[in-house]
Amino acid sequence: MIEFSPGMRVIIRDEEWMVKKVETNSLNHKTLYCTGISKLVKDRQTQFLTDLENIIQVDPAKVKLVADDSPFFRKSRLYIESQWRKKTPADTALHIGDRAAMDLMNFQLEPAQVALRRPRQRILIADSVGLGKTLEAGILMAELIARGKGNRILVVTVKSMLTQFQKEMWNRFTIPLVRLDSNKIQKIRAQLPSNYNPFFHFDKTIVSIDTLKRDVEYRTHLENSWWDIIVIDEAHNVAKRGSQQAQRSRLAKLLSGRSDTLIMLSATPHDGRSESFASLMNMLDPTAIANPHDYKKEDIKGLCIRRFKKDVKDQIQGCFKERRVSIEKCSASAIEEQAFKVFADMHLEMDKGRHGAAGQLFKTLLEKAMFSSPAACIKSIDERVKKLKKKYEAGDFSDIIVLEELKAALEKITPDSFSRYQVLLGLLKSKEYGWTAKNNDRVVIFTERIETMRFLAAQLRKDLDLSEKAIQEIYGEMQDVDQQKIVEDFGREESPIRILVASDVASEGINLHYLSHRLIHFDIPWSLMVFQQRNGRIDRYGQTEQPDIRYFLISSANDKIKGDMRIMEILVQKEEQAFQNIGDPALLLGKFNIEEEEQVTAEAIEKNTSADDFGAQIDNSSKEFDPFELLMKGATENEAPVELHNHETLFSDIDYLRNAMTHFTQTERHPIQNLQTVEGVEIELTPDLRRRLAALLPEEAMPATDYLRLSPNKRFCMDEMKRSLQKNMSETAWPATQYLWPLHPVYDWVNDKSELLFGRGEAPLMGIPGTLSTSDCIFVIAGTVPNRKSTPVVDEWFGLHFSHGQFVGELSMSQVVTRTGLGKTNIPNMNNISAAQKNKAEGLLIVAVSEARKILDRYCENYRKTINPQIDEELNKLIELEARHKKAIYQLDMFENERKKSEKEREVEELFRKLTEWVKDTLEIENNPYLRIVAVLVGV
């Protein structure tokens, strides 16, 4: 009976296949997931049931040695390279993530290192705004792809981030995500059968959480899909809030069980409630927290990582410009003062007796709207009056009269008498500010209210004599494609946009810093967390100019308004202090929740709290749940430093591609030429290559011409990313030159074609002159040991040295390359291997396979010695956690009936049974190593 494992070559239906994955069903029958190798089935992905097929294993001892007659052994070297590049890293070091197209800082490698040192890669990356969480996720994803654990990827984010996240993954890591925005979904529905699951059609996708929330059909598709990696961006949106689980939280809970790897990203990962943060931790590891009201740092160790700029200041020097912050005092006009007086003197019947509910007074809500703009306040008045008139049909309710009086006063405030608007207009026109619409220097203006946003956009177009296109708006109700287009255009030099007026939908995640370092808070948020989110749009990783942040404050003679504005000023000052000293302004109020922070501010206003008392209140705020007691401040506290592994093969990335394309051109037309301005190549897209790339790349990343331009020069490709943002609006905003590194999909095509240079059951025989004697024979062996899930946990390459027909010893691949000169491009091929040498080498095959098995047995034994204590530790931990979870059932459900307790107990038992099986299947190895004779080298 054959023991199947990944990498094994088998003959099925007279065609050769490579086993990619093995699954065993409940009847102990196996399904082989295979990729076609022989010509008729080349590249075809299919599955075979072992109980229904006649399957013949390719026996390594029966390999046929074929003398390589190509110049300089190019054919053999390409074949060896194609195999060697598929070697799976089996350790916890970083093999590739540090090579991505980014200005790497060491702290950005730490989340990947923390995750790789755990059995399952499930982590919340909660670094502060602007430190590069998306890039940190990309590094981990790249490492997992290199390990064969990233074939199927799902990224879930907010709709404004779809294009940005997709481009970051492609431009920096060549991870090709298909963007399932509303336009793409419409196309899919037109092209695919109605019952077809699009998540089967596309292996790597990015989709909006709102799309999944609204679309019942897509939620059903989710339930029937499985991924290798799932990424949830802006993960604070999916945390459980209170006793009810919102739709987003339910979706995230569903997704958390649809992948072994789960990466969550959030700069604001908690809302001050232990239960909310526990819900995120339990999505990552359902065994982590038994009691969501009581848990310790040890319970979540390795599940989350959080740093602020101050924590990594030594690494980011020069990467972040020191921000300039200033307050613009706006002296109220006489007409505004009249409206303020009406407001201050106003008493509302509806608010009487409600002073105990902080932040709930309608007058407070009106003041917040008024501090945004007259238009916003008028909108709030109109909506409330409409409700009141419906409730009191007679229309003589006193509140209606008072509200109408305030509305009349507000309506008298014209743009000329709207002081903050006039200061804004003066600032934009001033030489001191240095902004002009003629340059590509762009301004972001934030406001909380849609009415204020619309007023500003319309009035600024008029007063600055700018077109509609020059001043754009962005807000939550916009379509996803419209939001993405505005964000993308804002960073393109050829775009006419000069000012972006944004509601707080634009404060989450999106990059606005490419051509902008100016940000204006037209109104002051009542939450310190919103300050942080807004400022992070321009004050972030990659900003090349000094961020200029302006806060607009009303200066009024009215005592009520003056006092309340001092509260706003205290918020501004405290945010800046927090940024400079502790990193997280949310720590000051201790609420970690925007709505509750706004309530604290509202309560201070309602109680007429003095500015000094409000400042002292912030400084002395009690923190019922302080995540800093739990989150890893030092990121890799008690962890070993990041370990990097430099994986060497025969060719550099560019030389492998050049040599491969040159060799392929001997039998097929594959024109290739060097780029003129930078190291790299330009490859003509033949139908075969175009077909292959079209199946792998997002359509946006496909070359616009008939040529694929690739460069291994990281700096050039990063500059190309910036240049792509500056192209003419009629062109695509994707780089024309793509980053060439081992994860680029072109290597899938090159590796597969190079693999075919030798046929079924063949291995190259190379006659090496000079460095080997005629009595020497070196076998290059690849050996794989899988776990119970058929994933390689040991993947080793080594040489076996024979002399005069006797086994001399084992060689590392480095020793093989050094001893034979295999890494050199100019080894002369004398084509003079004698028949006797070939027969002698073939006669050693059985012995070579036997010796190789002994070496693999040693690797297996070493693996077991290392892993068995880890398995025992994991299993003991699960036993302890299961007991803790059962105990929590009785603590939390003290007054519930016995039947429900029993149900919960069974749920816990089933959860831990599955996790115990997962640990064993993932860490324990099967005694079925797979050996391949990759090549044989003899001296001539």
Side-chain angles (χ1 to χ4, degrees):
M1 183 177 177
I2 303 174
E3 291 289 345
F4 299 100
S5 61
M8 180 184 290
R9 291 193 180 200
V10 291
I11 308 299
I12 306 175
R13 303 182 190 181
D14 202 36
E15 296 294 339
E16 187 172 0
W17 305 82
M18 176 179 284
V19 177
K20 293 288 189 181
K21 186 172 71 169
V22 184
E23 287 184 352
T24 305
N25 63 23
S26 57
L27 298 176
N28 205 34
H29 294 150
K30 296 185 187 298
T31 301
L32 304 185
Y33 292 78
C34 298
T35 298
I37 290 185
S38 52
K39 191 170 183 180
L40 279 177
V41 294
K42 183 74 183 79
D43 298 332
R44 182 175 298 179
Q45 310 284 329
T46 192
Q47 301 93 43
F48 295 106
L49 302 177
T50 57
D51 56 316
L52 300 180
E53 300 287 351
N54 178 30
I55 302 175
I56 302 169
Q57 181 180 358
V58 177
D59 186 348
K62 295 180 180 177
V63 69
K64 178 183 177 183
L65 302 184
V66 178
D68 182 4
D69 59 358
S70 65
F72 304 108
F73 299 106
R74 178 183 282 159
K75 186 176 173 182
S76 294
R77 294 175 73 246
L78 288 173
Y79 176 78
I80 294 169
E81 181 77 6
S82 71
Q83 304 297 301
W84 204 354
R85 281 178 172 253
K86 293 182 179 180
K87 182 177 182 291
T88 303
D91 57 11
T92 61
L94 272 62
H95 286 248
I96 193 168
D98 59 303
R99 296 171 55 189
M102 55 187 285
D103 289 321
L104 188 68
M105 288 170 278
N106 193 64
F107 77 88
Q108 293 173 325
L109 297 173
E110 289 172 351
Q113 184 70 93
V114 169
L116 290 172
R117 285 174 178 158
R118 292 175 60 86
R120 288 206 298 176
Q121 287 69 57
R122 298 173 75 87
I123 189 169
L124 167 65
I125 302 175
D127 284 348
S128 179
V129 171
L131 287 183
K133 291 180 294 296
T134 304
L135 304 184
E136 291 169 356
I139 290 167
L140 178 52
M141 290 163 72
E143 289 295 332
L144 292 168
I145 291 169
R147 286 162 168 77
K149 297 179 180 180
N151 182 49
R152 285 182 47 75
I153 299 174
L154 173 70
V155 176
V156 180
T157 186
V158 294
K159 58 187 180 182
S160 60
M161 284 282 291
L162 287 172
T163 300
Q164 178 180 304
F165 202 114
Q166 179 196 29
K167 290 174 73 171
E168 289 282 320
M169 288 302 105
W170 174 251
N171 292 340
R172 299 186 186 279
F173 304 96
T174 64
I175 298 174
L177 300 173
V178 173
R179 188 174 72 242
L180 296 181
D181 57 20
S182 52
N183 283 353
K184 185 69 174 181
I185 288 172
Q186 214 169 3
K187 288 180 184 176
I188 290 171
R189 284 182 167 148
Q191 294 168 359
L192 298 179
S194 58
N195 62 344
Y196 196 88
N197 189 335
F199 296 119
F200 293 160
H201 190 68
F202 302 107
D203 279 335
K204 297 178 177 68
T205 53
I206 181 168
V207 65
S208 160
I209 186 77
D210 292 316
T211 296
L212 299 180
K213 188 176 74 173
R214 289 193 309 268
D215 199 313
V216 176
E217 179 186 347
Y218 267 63
R219 286 205 303 278
T220 304
H221 292 324
L222 285 180
E223 293 172 3
N224 296 307
S225 303
W226 179 266
W227 289 269
D228 297 313
I229 301 171
I230 291 178
V231 180
I232 300 179
D233 192 23
E234 304 297 342
H236 53 276
N237 291 322
V238 303
K240 188 177 180 181
R241 305 283 190 231
S243 58
Q244 298 299 315
Q245 200 168 17
Q247 223 173 352
R248 286 181 173 187
S249 181
R250 290 198 299 272
L251 272 171
K253 180 74 173 164
L254 166 66
L255 288 172
S256 70
R258 306 307 300 164
S259 172
D260 273 347
T261 297
L262 178 62
I263 305 170
M264 290 181 156
L265 308 175
S266 174
T268 52
H270 45 81
D271 66 354
R273 295 179 177 83
S274 60
E275 303 93 320
S276 174
F277 188 68
S279 73
L280 293 180
M281 294 298 97
N282 279 334
M283 287 181 202
L284 294 168
D285 181 356
T287 72
I289 296 173
N291 184 348
H293 306 284
D294 181 20
Y295 49 97
K296 300 180 177 65
K297 179 176 178 176
E298 290 69 29
D299 297 329
I300 60 170
K301 184 180 179 182
L303 290 177
C304 55
I305 188 167
R306 183 163 175 78
R307 285 82 50 91
F308 297 93
K309 287 180 183 176
K310 68 180 184 63
D311 299 320
V312 294
K313 60 184 178 183
D314 293 339
Q315 296 183 48
I316 64 176
Q317 286 178 356
C319 297
F320 288 88
K321 307 291 184 182
E322 185 174 349
R323 60 167 69 168
R324 174 190 173 188
V325 176
S326 60
I327 293 175
E328 302 291 333
K329 293 289 184 72
C330 311
S331 298
S333 64
I335 296 176
E336 283 180 308
E337 293 285 22
Q338 290 173 4
F340 293 158
K341 183 177 188 309
V342 172
F343 172 82
D345 294 342
M346 183 173 69
H347 297 283
L348 295 172
E349 291 292 326
M350 70 181 86
D351 284 344
K352 285 184 178 178
R354 298 184 63 189
H355 284 276
Q360 299 300 310
L361 299 185
F362 184 64
K363 183 175 181 180
T364 309
L365 298 177
L366 272 184
E367 185 171 19
K368 194 168 189 286
M370 186 172 67
F371 285 169
S372 183
S373 71
C377 194
I378 288 169
K379 173 76 171 176
S380 296
I381 291 171
D382 285 345
E383 289 176 348
R384 182 53 61 101
V385 167
K386 186 177 180 181
K387 288 180 181 178
L388 290 174
K389 284 182 176 179
K390 191 174 181 181
K391 186 175 180 181
Y392 300 92
E393 293 180 5
D396 60 353
F397 187 53
S398 61
D399 280 356
I400 296 177
I401 299 170
V402 174
L403 291 173
E404 294 283 12
E405 182 184 357
L406 177 60
K407 178 183 175 181
L410 291 168
E411 285 176 334
K412 292 177 182 177
I413 303 174
T414 64
D416 289 341
S417 57
F418 184 8
S419 59
R420 274 184 301 128
Y421 175 72
Q422 288 302 315
V423 171
L424 171 65
L425 187 61
L427 178 69
L428 294 174
K429 290 181 174 181
S430 71
K431 290 183 179 179
E432 180 269 334
Y433 193 53
W435 176 84
T436 170
K438 294 179 181 178
N439 298 332
N440 266 317
D441 182 3
R442 296 169 186 195
V443 181
V444 182
I445 303 174
F446 269 109
T447 182
E448 291 195 320
R449 300 295 294 265
I450 299 296
E451 295 75 22
T452 308
M453 176 197 73
R454 288 176 176 152
F455 164 79
L456 289 175
Q459 197 64 36
L460 285 173
R461 289 185 191 113
K462 179 180 177 183
D463 291 339
L464 294 175
D465 194 23
L466 294 175
S467 68
E468 185 172 345
K469 291 181 178 179
I471 301 179
Q472 291 285 324
E473 308 161 18
I474 184 169
Y475 52 97
E477 289 71 30
M478 295 175 73
Q479 288 288 320
D480 52 7
V481 289
D482 295 331
Q483 282 189 12
Q484 294 168 67
K485 186 175 189 312
I486 287 173
V487 171
E488 188 171 33
D489 287 351
F490 188 69
R492 299 180 69 173
E493 282 199 356
E494 290 299 320
S495 164
I497 302 178
R498 292 298 178 268
I499 297 175
L500 181 65
V501 189
S503 75
D504 281 325
V505 71
S507 67
E508 275 195 337
I510 61 176
N511 293 333
L512 298 176
H513 65 286
Y514 295 120
L515 294 174
S516 176
H517 64 282
R518 304 179 191 274
L519 187 144
I520 294 170
H521 297 265
F522 187 73
D523 48 29
I524 305 299
W526 289 17
S527 161
L528 292 171
M529 293 175 70
V530 176
F531 280 83
Q532 182 188 34
Q533 290 173 347
R534 286 183 177 183
N535 292 338
R537 297 315 99 222
I538 65 159
D539 185 9
R540 61 190 298 105
Y541 175 83
Q543 175 62 268
T544 57
E545 303 290 335
Q546 181 184 28
D548 185 309
I549 298 169
R550 308 284 175 121
Y551 296 96
F552 279 38
L553 283 174
I554 300 165
S555 180
S556 170
N558 186 286
D559 290 339
K560 166 66 174 168
I561 302 302
K562 185 189 296 183
D564 293 348
M565 275 296 110
R566 280 288 294 135
I567 296 287
M568 300 296 107
E569 192 167 1
I570 291 294
L571 286 175
V572 173
Q573 292 169 358
K574 292 299 179 184
E575 196 281 335
E576 186 60 18
Q577 288 174 18
F579 174 79
Q580 297 293 343
N581 299 323
I582 62 174
D584 186 2
L587 282 171
L588 291 178
L589 288 171
K591 299 299 181 183
F592 309 101
N593 176 289
I594 290 172
E595 291 76 18
E596 291 191 18
E597 286 193 339
E598 289 176 340
Q599 285 188 6
V600 171
T601 305
E603 185 176 3
I605 286 174
E606 289 172 8
K607 293 181 176 180
N608 294 318
T609 305
S610 72
D612 289 342
D613 289 346
F614 183 60
Q617 177 188 339
I618 291 176
D619 292 337
N620 299 315
S621 291
S622 61
K623 300 166 183 63
E624 180 181 344
F625 171 72
D626 185 352
F628 272 79
E629 297 298 323
L630 299 170
L631 292 174
M632 296 170 63
K633 279 187 181 180
T636 50
E637 187 178 325
N638 301 321
E639 295 273 354
V642 172
E643 182 184 357
L644 301 179
H645 180 89
N646 186 18
H647 182 58
E648 293 186 8
T649 51
L650 301 181
F651 295 92
S652 68
D653 294 336
I654 188 70
D655 286 339
Y656 177 39
L657 186 57
R658 282 195 188 109
N659 278 273
M661 298 302 290
T662 301
H663 189 80
F664 299 159
T665 301
Q666 295 177 11
T667 54
E668 302 174 61
R669 184 174 172 273
H670 289 292
I672 180 173
Q673 60 184 12
N674 291 330
L675 298 178
Q676 299 301 308
T677 56
V678 69
E679 183 183 19
V681 294
E682 184 177 75
I683 304 170
E684 185 175 330
L685 289 174
T686 60
D688 175 43
L689 181 54
R690 181 178 286 279
R691 175 187 60 82
R692 184 65 182 271
L693 290 178
L696 296 172
L697 271 59
E699 57 184 304
E700 299 90 348
M702 279 295 290
T705 65
D706 291 329
Y707 294 90
L708 176 65
R709 293 167 56 90
L710 302 163
S711 173
N713 187 311
K714 184 159 70 172
R715 175 50 54 193
F716 177 84
C717 290
M718 290 166 64
D719 291 341
E720 188 74 0
M721 292 177 212
K722 294 179 182 177
R723 282 194 294 271
S724 71
L725 296 172
Q726 301 164 9
K727 289 179 179 176
N728 187 283
M729 293 292 288
S730 63
E731 299 179 53
T732 177
W734 291 65
T737 303
Q738 299 173 4
Y739 183 44
L740 184 67
W741 75 322
L743 293 192
H744 194 287
V746 75
Y747 283 119
D748 291 338
W749 179 77
V750 171
N751 287 340
D752 289 345
K753 290 186 75 67
S754 297
E755 228 175 43
L756 291 175
L757 294 175
F758 289 86
R760 180 194 302 177
E762 294 180 349
L765 177 63
M766 304 169 65
I768 307 295
T771 58
L772 296 180
S773 73
T774 55
S775 60
D776 284 332
C777 181
I778 294 177
F779 288 79
V780 177
I781 308 288
T784 302
V785 179
N787 61 14
R788 289 183 175 182
K789 297 170 76 176
S790 299
T791 302
V793 293
V794 176
D795 193 358
E796 295 293 340
W797 278 52
F798 51 89
L800 299 179
H801 182 202
F802 288 80
S803 181
H804 298 286
Q806 300 297 313
F807 178 57
V808 176
E810 176 188 356
L811 301 173
S812 68
M813 279 305 294
S814 178
Q815 290 171 323
V816 171
V817 172
T818 301
R819 179 131 186 203
T820 63
L822 196 56
K824 298 177 181 177
T825 59
N826 60 349
I827 312 172
N829 188 350
M830 314 299 290
N831 286 317
N832 59 349
I833 298 175
S834 67
Q837 279 183 303
K838 181 181 177 184
N839 292 337
K840 191 173 181 181
E842 288 180 337
L844 291 172
L845 281 170
I846 293 176
V847 179
V849 169
S850 175
E851 293 295 339
R853 290 196 188 282
K854 293 177 186 176
I855 291 170
L856 268 187
D857 285 343
R858 188 183 77 236
Y859 280 119
C860 287
E861 186 58 31
N862 290 339
Y863 175 81
R864 287 193 181 96
K865 285 179 181 177
T866 302
I867 208 67
N868 283 345
Q870 294 180 31
I871 295 173
D872 292 341
E873 182 184 349
E874 288 295 325
L875 294 180
N876 289 336
K877 190 190 301 180
L878 288 175
I879 291 170
E880 180 187 337
L881 285 168
E882 183 175 3
R884 196 186 303 174
H885 275 254
K886 286 182 176 178
K887 182 180 178 181
I889 291 173
Y890 291 95
Q891 289 176 336
L892 296 175
D893 301 327
M894 192 178 298
F895 302 106
E896 293 189 7
N897 61 59
E898 288 297 322
R899 184 180 62 81
K900 190 164 184 180
K901 286 180 185 177
S902 297
E903 285 177 2
K904 288 190 175 183
E905 195 169 42
R906 283 195 296 273
E907 287 176 12
V908 168
E909 288 171 354
E910 178 63 13
L911 168 66
F912 280 89
R913 183 191 65 77
K914 287 181 177 179
L915 284 168
T916 299
E917 283 182 4
W918 187 91
V919 168
K920 291 180 177 179
D921 289 345
T922 303
L923 300 180
E924 292 183 354
I925 58 176
E926 295 291 316
N927 291 319
N928 58 333
Y930 180 63
L931 284 172
R932 283 180 297 136
I933 309 293
V934 179
V936 180
L937 298 84
V938 297
V940 294

